[in-house]
Amino acid sequence: MEKEIPIKPIKPEFLDFINYNICKAYSETHGKEAAEAFFRKVGRIGFQELRSRIEFPSREPYEVLRKVASFLEEMGYLAKIQLTKVEEDEVIIEMFGVSVVNSSMRLVREGASPSHFMTNLMFAALEEMCGLRADIIDLTLEQPTAETGYAKEKWILKKI
């Protein structure tokens, strides 16, 4: 009889490691603009996959974003996303314990394109579910400790 070996959970540091390597390789091979377009496509495909897994009962932008945020929290991509609806067309997004903040900051410093996985997934959701796009104003991107990533953005939603 074969002994069952338990599966270990993937550590956030490993996601950060993979994120850096994939983003760096794609950016170096195809250029930063092509990498940005590629990662937008990754978000669109990811959203199609997400829609096959979870239901989106509302097409209201804040609710759509909240549903995507809940999925990402549940999967461990980050510890918490806090959404604050400022106006009908404005949302503040705070991300705590972002698993890929170190690699993202490093990629930006090196002139490469980060995956912006959460952002591109949410962009695809807004586009498909609400007919909207978002303009982002970066407010904060930092890594206060080795285990903690933090980002804060203001999103202005506009009709496509």
Side-chain angles (χ1 to χ4, degrees):
M1 186 169 161
E2 213 174 295
K3 185 179 179 182
E4 194 172 315
I5 299 172
I7 296 173
K8 286 184 168 184
I10 294 175
K11 294 179 180 180
E13 298 86 359
F14 187 65
L15 289 175
D16 200 42
F17 176 79
I18 291 171
N19 185 65
Y20 177 80
N21 293 303
I22 290 171
C23 296
K24 184 71 171 182
Y26 201 95
S27 293
E28 284 184 1
T29 303
H30 301 285
K32 185 178 178 186
E33 285 182 20
E36 289 169 358
F38 173 77
F39 294 126
R40 278 192 297 277
K41 178 78 171 175
V42 168
R44 288 186 191 104
I45 291 169
F47 185 65
Q48 291 306 310
E49 284 295 307
L50 185 58
R51 285 195 75 185
S52 72
R53 294 173 185 226
I54 65 173
E55 214 169 297
F56 285 82
S58 173
R59 289 185 174 266
E60 195 278 320
Y62 180 81
E63 292 304 318
V64 169
L65 291 173
R66 185 67 229 143
K67 195 78 170 164
V68 174
S70 294
F71 169 78
L72 292 169
E73 285 177 359
E74 188 177 310
M75 292 294 118
Y77 182 74
L78 40 58
K80 176 117 181 96
I81 300 179
Q82 185 173 316
L83 303 173
T84 305
K85 188 175 184 177
V86 180
E87 304 271 339
E88 194 62 34
D89 63 345
E90 187 176 307
V91 178
I92 301 287
I93 299 179
E94 289 184 274
M95 297 153 270
F96 303 89
V98 180
S99 61
V100 296
V101 75
N102 188 40
S103 61
S104 296
M105 289 172 29
R106 184 175 171 198
L107 289 159
V108 168
R109 280 193 311 269
E110 294 173 359
S113 177
S115 66
H116 294 303
F117 184 77
M118 181 217 77
T119 302
N120 285 313
L121 190 61
M122 287 184 166
F123 277 5
L126 287 171
E127 184 178 313
E128 186 173 319
M129 301 291 297
C130 312
L132 297 172
R133 67 180 178 83
D135 291 336
I136 297 179
I137 301 165
D138 289 317
L139 303 175
T140 307
L141 179 60
E142 59 189 34
Q143 187 164 10
T145 69
E147 300 83 29
T148 307
Y150 174 77
K152 182 177 181 180
E153 300 172 340
K154 183 193 304 187
W155 288 25
I156 309 297
L157 309 179
K158 297 180 178 180
K159 286 281 183 204
I160 295 175

